[in-house]
Amino acid sequence: MYSNGFSLVGVLYPAFFVVVFALAVTLGVLLIRTLLWVIRALSAYTREHELRLDLLLAGDDPAAPPTPGGSAGPVV
């Protein structure tokens, strides 16, 4: 009982695989874009901390914070 005419399964079966393939490609592209975004964000975060550490190690800040009132200490 073979038919040479139009078959709904013959059309839906390849269409299903085309849709699944398109979804797989879309998910792959989204995954790659997300990974690139995370790598860029982590690089910026790491670079910021490296700069802060370099500034701390450079010793450009004063040894002791200034006291309020402008005087260095009590006058005797």
Side-chain angles (χ1 to χ4, degrees):
M1 304 250 338
Y2 292 103
S3 171
N4 292 332
F6 176 76
S7 172
L8 187 62
V9 174
V11 173
L12 291 179
Y13 195 68
F16 172 75
F17 280 110
V18 168
V19 169
V20 168
F21 180 75
L23 285 174
V25 168
T26 302
L27 287 175
V29 168
L30 287 175
L31 178 66
I32 290 172
R33 287 178 55 109
T34 302
L35 287 174
L36 290 174
W37 177 81
V38 167
I39 290 170
R40 190 179 324 139
L42 286 175
S43 296
Y45 181 77
T46 304
R47 182 65 181 146
E48 178 185 348
H49 281 280
E50 287 175 355
L51 290 174
R52 284 186 184 184
L53 185 61
D54 286 344
L55 287 175
L56 284 174
L57 293 177
D60 292 337
D61 55 339
T67 58
S71 63
V75 178
V76 179

